[in-house]
Amino acid sequence: MSQLASLTLYHNDEARPIIEAIIADNPGVRVLNMPGAVKLDCEGALVVKRASVEERLGREWDPQEIHLVLISMAGHLDEDDDQFSVSWKH
Amino acid sequence: MSVVALTPDYEKHIEFRDLEKNFHGNRVVYLHWEQHLSFCSAIAFPLPPSMPFAAFVEAIVKPHYAAHPDFQRIDWSQVVWMIDDEKKTPDMDKSLEENGVKHKSLVRFWTPGLEGYKGSAS
Amino acid sequence: MTAKKLGLKQRYAHMTRGLDWETSYQPIDKVFPYDQFEGIKIKDWSAWEDPFRLTMDAYWKFQAEKERKLYAVLDAFAQNNGQTGISDGRYMNVVKLFLTGVSPLEYQAHRGFAYAGRHLRGVGPRVAAQMQSLDELRHVQTQIHTISHYNKFFDGIGEFQHMHDRVWYLSVPKSFFDDARSAGPFEYMIAIGFAFEYVLTNLLFVPFMSGAAYNGDMSTVTFGFSAQSDESRHMTLGIEVIKFLLEQHPDNLPIVQKWVDKWFWRGHRVLGLVAMMMDYMLPKPVMSWKEAWEIYFTEAGGALFQDLARYGLRPPKYADIATAEAEHISHQNWAIFYQYTHAAAFHTWLPDAKHMDWLSEKYPNTFDKYYRPRFEMWGQMAKEGKRFYNMALPQLCQTCQIPMGYTEPGDPTTICFRRTQFRGETYHFCSDGCKDIFDNEPEKYVQAWLPVHQIFQGNCGGATIPDVLAYYRMNVGADNMDYVGSPDEKLWNEWQADKIKTAV
């Protein structure tokens, strides 16, 4: 049975580079647009890479800044200095 | 005792909040007209146990269901009554108590042939 | 030579561990007297892992930033008379229900997590519970601040706290939290941290707040998403607590399973109010309750319980019944409020033809067959000047305290009646789920303060409806009754007329 890892973010200018980085780095990601929010789902795991966000943002980005635009999530979370991920893997 | 409590004597401090004695001589009776879900749920009344069943029908049942278009078509001689899961023919002259209506009893009734607005159970 | 910078994980360990001390003149069990009576066995508190490695300094920094953004939106909304730009005056009634029914729960959650934070002896869960306690206090404050702007214009808001403690339908969310807060700290963590925050709050905050945005209520969506951004931390706390308990000792499994079953069902019942808000109260609906349930319970809950199966935990009992009820619950709840509109602190209305078509499309199995006829009948009656009211008080479920308006699983034409006997007394329930909860702890639920019975006992201001409404501090004729004919409607229509005039 399917196990989707998921992140829901604000749909605004601040979150846009993060959304774009997620779409680029997670092949097969499903995008559900809602007014004000966007839900990104991916089978098994979903990762946000600091380098990908920085490339789009044009400045340094601390993965913990995701707290400012994160609305919801599903999966076990892991964060370090280089990435932020949710997954159902052990 | 099945509740898991911090204090071993928890049971001694329980307040049974809805005992019959708290209702000033009345008991709580629930009433429901089946197949007429415009009335969203059974309705509740505090009633004296000595109230004759006939008075219950006239003073409680009829006025509270009169708003429904099916109400005028009820043949009261055909009504099927159920008191707490038991189908019964109540003795209209006897009291609620004598008819087996206890504190927090549920009185349900069916009106054969009437199944709500356009047969939708509404 | 510069010192090597610590990585996030090491930095977090430094900032959050080794902060405790061993007791010297008191036994540790006396310092933490509440974390054993529930029967939960913990062998190693240090095995607790925080998924979000958010230290206090980073917490303040991010929370302050969120507040700045929220208040910038609120100020802009007030300066622009944002209240005149919502989709329709009817919309405001979801905000009223939110403030009276949900915001006081944020405060209750603040108290509950402060209690858990005090009484769990491991430093990891204690820090996490304290942080969540602060978040919940922030939520209630920002919600009150946001909605206070609407209170200048619309009825039904001013006495929200008083109403929460007294009004019949508000006893549903209130008793939910009272139940959790009067449990032990571990049950509280499973009830609110896991079952409510992880499994169910997405259903409240995501589609509902998205609905606020879609209906022009930028202030509510902003506090909603701002609160929900804390919620992802709360969700990880919820999932961590359940993993931790299940990993610590096999004896914990049956206790945790019982709590998961109980709190899933209780949460499902409370969220029926949200179902009604989404399907009936948003003038511009975004997603049906059934769709939201599929995404956030069937799909997200499915992944979660698949994962937890490795501990022997099964999905909540009656999850299948709750999923089947997603076809019915919003319609049945709106019907309850429509007929008791005289006793509710928000306005009701019948869905118009266009809205009913939307409901038909979203609920092809049930709406036209069971619910459209009900609304059409009431519409006909209203047209004839005989607006339908229920003039008696409803029978309430002893556990969830909702009027017993739910139908038998598999038979939407028959009310589901369940009852049980305890020490010679009879108790009634809306469902097997609510009956099981009572039967597991009858001593607790015989004490329930059921609004209808309290009115009959003479504890709610008097025997007549006006007496009781005065006890609720309801401003009769303004706060209650239909939207059509209300002062809210009059005001809204004036604003619309002004707009047209300005345009000309």
Side-chain angles (χ1 to χ4, degrees):
Chain A
M1 205 183 118
S2 162
Q3 262 191 319
L4 293 177
S6 175
L7 290 172
T8 305
L9 304 173
Y10 277 75
H11 209 171
N12 63 11
D13 195 53
E14 199 177 352
R16 209 157 285 129
I18 306 172
I19 297 166
E20 285 171 9
I22 293 172
I23 293 170
D25 292 339
N26 297 274
V29 68
R30 184 182 81 176
V31 181
L32 177 65
N33 282 301
M34 291 180 261
V38 57
K39 184 175 191 293
L40 300 152
D41 301 319
C42 200
E43 190 58 42
L46 196 65
V47 65
V48 186
K49 293 181 180 161
R50 179 176 58 80
S52 302
V53 177
E54 287 183 346
E55 203 178 291
R56 288 167 176 82
L57 201 57
R59 66 161 171 88
E60 283 191 8
W61 184 74
D62 173 356
Q64 285 202 327
E65 289 181 50
I66 200 166
H67 283 290
L68 296 171
V69 293
L70 182 63
I71 295 171
S72 183
M73 46 154 282
H76 298 288
L77 186 141
D78 190 36
E79 55 170 2
D80 61 27
D81 293 302
D82 294 317
Q83 63 172 40
F84 180 102
S85 72
V86 281
S87 79
W88 294 109
K89 293 171 191 154
H90 294 282
Chain B
M1 190 172 80
S2 44
V3 73
V4 176
L6 188 57
T7 48
D9 63 343
Y10 180 85
E11 242 179 321
K12 283 189 202 150
H13 303 286
I14 301 172
E15 183 186 353
F16 285 75
R17 224 176 265 278
D18 293 326
L19 298 175
E20 189 171 350
K21 69 178 171 62
N22 297 347
F23 290 84
H24 314 291
N26 291 319
R27 57 181 53 166
V28 175
V29 178
Y30 304 112
L31 172 67
H32 182 60
W33 183 9
E34 293 289 335
Q35 300 291 304
H36 290 79
L37 292 174
S38 290
F39 299 93
C40 63
S41 67
I43 46 184
F45 299 92
L47 300 174
S50 59
M51 180 183 239
F53 208 93
F56 171 67
V57 174
E58 291 305 315
I60 303 294
V61 181
K62 289 186 180 176
H64 286 99
Y65 290 118
H68 198 284
D70 274 357
F71 178 80
Q72 294 303 330
R73 297 204 287 273
I74 298 176
D75 177 353
W76 289 93
S77 67
Q78 295 299 308
V79 169
V80 177
W81 296 92
M82 182 190 262
I83 300 171
D84 293 338
D85 295 344
E86 212 183 308
K87 291 237 164 122
K88 277 191 179 173
T89 308
D91 185 331
M92 290 291 161
D93 299 325
K94 287 194 169 156
S95 68
L96 292 172
E97 175 148 42
E98 288 162 324
N99 276 295
V101 177
K102 297 186 269 302
H103 180 48
K104 296 209 239 168
S105 273
L106 169 65
V107 180
R108 301 164 73 173
F109 68 100
W110 283 257
T111 49
L114 299 178
E115 282 167 354
Y117 182 73
K118 294 186 178 168
S120 68
S122 280
Chain C
M1 194 179 108
T2 49
K4 193 170 169 252
K5 199 178 163 224
L6 292 176
L8 175 66
K9 289 179 186 183
Q10 294 159 296
R11 206 160 65 235
Y12 183 77
H14 270 287
M15 299 283 275
T16 58
R17 293 299 184 267
L19 305 173
D20 244 357
W21 61 90
E22 297 293 319
T23 54
S24 53
Y25 58 91
Q26 286 285 357
I28 191 86
D29 287 350
K30 277 187 82 178
V31 178
F32 294 101
Y34 290 178
D35 69 357
Q36 291 182 26
F37 77 94
E38 297 170 275
I40 291 290
K41 294 174 183 161
I42 305 295
K43 290 184 292 194
D44 177 15
W45 281 102
S46 72
W48 177 276
E49 290 257 12
D50 304 289
F52 271 115
R53 295 179 180 88
L54 194 63
T55 52
M56 220 56 207
D57 57 336
Y59 175 78
W60 293 128
K61 188 177 92 183
F62 289 129
Q63 296 302 85
E65 185 62 25
K66 285 184 196 173
E67 292 286 272
R68 268 195 296 278
K69 291 185 162 135
L70 171 64
Y71 283 92
V73 172
L74 297 194
D75 287 341
F77 190 82
Q79 286 156 13
N80 289 321
N81 284 317
Q83 73 282 355
T84 65
I86 55 174
S87 57
D88 185 74
R90 284 177 178 82
Y91 167 77
M92 196 41 53
N93 293 289
V94 302
V95 176
K96 299 175 191 182
L97 191 51
F98 193 91
L99 183 70
T100 52
V102 178
S103 299
L105 302 187
E106 303 273 16
Y107 186 74
Q108 292 238 52
H110 154 66
R111 303 296 302 151
F113 279 102
Y115 157 82
R118 164 64 184 83
H119 287 291
L120 295 172
R121 72 183 67 188
V123 65
R126 229 160 64 225
V127 168
Q130 285 171 5
M131 230 180 243
Q132 181 159 353
S133 175
L134 286 172
D135 286 344
E136 305 291 1
L137 190 58
R138 178 175 98 86
H139 297 177
V140 64
Q141 287 172 341
T142 54
Q143 287 165 25
I144 294 167
H145 285 166
T146 305
I147 296 172
S148 67
H149 177 70
Y150 290 116
N151 185 44
K152 295 173 190 163
F153 308 100
F154 295 97
D155 295 311
I157 307 172
E159 292 286 358
F160 74 98
Q161 185 63 54
H162 179 88
M163 286 183 176
H164 185 72
D165 288 339
R166 297 189 177 203
V167 175
W168 59 281
Y169 55 90
L170 298 174
S171 80
V172 174
K174 179 182 164 65
S175 69
F176 172 89
F177 251 96
D178 285 348
D179 191 351
R181 283 186 56 205
S182 54
F186 286 116
E187 183 177 347
Y188 179 82
M189 293 295 282
I190 295 294
I192 306 304
F194 177 72
F196 201 64
E197 297 279 356
Y198 196 97
V199 185
L200 298 169
T201 50
N202 270 318
L203 282 160
L204 172 61
F205 276 100
V206 185
F208 177 66
M209 291 305 166
S210 196
Y214 200 49
N215 283 274
D217 183 4
M218 288 320 294
S219 56
T220 297
V221 64
T222 307
F223 83 60
F225 283 159
S226 185
Q228 190 67 19
S229 64
D230 297 339
E231 226 69 27
S232 33
R233 256 183 298 110
H234 304 169
M235 290 169 78
T236 61
L237 174 58
I239 199 167
E240 181 55 31
V241 80
I242 200 159
K243 281 193 313 192
F244 179 69
L245 296 190
L246 295 172
E247 278 169 8
Q248 284 293 313
H249 201 287
D251 289 358
N252 294 342
L253 175 62
I255 302 174
V256 170
Q257 182 74 59
K258 212 171 178 177
W259 289 338
V260 168
D261 292 349
K262 168 181 172 180
W263 288 99
F264 164 76
W265 188 260
R266 290 223 64 181
H268 160 61
R269 276 287 177 256
V270 167
L271 288 180
L273 286 174
V274 183
M276 169 183 101
M277 289 154 104
M278 284 175 60
D279 282 348
Y280 284 87
M281 299 176 77
L282 292 177
K284 288 163 76 176
V286 283
M287 182 191 278
S288 71
W289 174 252
K290 190 177 157 224
E291 288 166 326
W293 186 264
E294 276 161 11
I295 293 172
Y296 289 107
F297 183 73
T298 308
E299 194 177 284
L304 170 69
F305 285 104
Q306 218 181 117
D307 184 64
L308 295 172
R310 70 202 147 104
Y311 299 112
L313 195 83
R314 51 163 179 73
K317 198 176 178 189
Y318 304 126
D320 54 335
I321 304 280
T323 297
E325 282 189 355
E327 291 266 15
H328 301 279
I329 201 160
S330 67
H331 318 298
Q332 294 176 349
N333 281 347
W334 189 240
I336 292 173
F337 283 99
Y338 179 77
Q339 65 197 265
Y340 287 112
T341 190
H342 43 297
F346 60 89
H347 300 303
T348 56
W349 55 89
L350 288 174
D352 62 19
K354 190 175 157 215
H355 197 99
M356 284 210 266
D357 288 345
W358 180 80
L359 289 165
S360 300
E361 184 199 318
K362 295 296 179 185
Y363 293 94
N365 305 323
T366 55
F367 185 73
D368 285 351
K369 195 167 175 199
Y370 303 109
Y371 304 106
R372 183 187 280 271
R374 197 166 302 172
F375 294 127
E376 286 180 348
M377 174 183 132
W378 289 339
Q380 187 57 38
M381 292 172 81
K383 218 185 271 172
E384 292 163 11
K386 295 184 285 190
R387 201 271 191 207
F388 181 79
Y389 297 99
N390 193 328
M391 293 314 290
L393 303 183
Q395 179 184 27
L396 303 181
C397 171
Q398 185 76 24
T399 302
C400 70
Q401 309 201 2
I402 300 173
M404 292 205 5
Y406 302 124
T407 47
E408 280 288 353
D411 178 8
T413 65
T414 305
I415 293 284
C416 180
F417 289 107
R418 297 289 183 272
R419 69 197 162 98
T420 201
Q421 295 278 323
F422 179 66
R423 306 244 185 98
E425 291 287 315
T426 305
Y427 298 92
H428 296 268
F429 310 96
C430 67
S431 55
D432 292 313
C434 280
K435 179 178 182 294
D436 281 9
I437 291 168
F438 179 96
D439 286 340
N440 283 328
E441 294 171 288
E443 296 87 347
K444 189 169 191 179
Y445 298 99
V446 298
Q447 304 176 75
W449 194 93
L450 291 187
V452 169
H453 293 170
Q454 290 300 313
I455 291 169
F456 291 160
Q457 290 178 35
N459 298 332
C460 301
T464 66
I465 288 179
D467 291 340
V468 174
L469 297 183
Y471 166 83
Y472 291 166
R473 293 195 193 152
M474 205 173 283
N475 184 7
V476 173
D479 293 350
N480 62 349
M481 306 299 275
D482 279 331
Y483 175 71
V484 174
S486 68
D488 276 8
E489 186 205 33
K490 185 167 173 284
L491 178 68
W492 180 255
N493 288 343
E494 281 166 15
W495 288 347
Q496 299 316 300
D498 282 350
K499 275 187 195 168
I500 293 163
K501 254 188 263 162
T502 312
V504 171

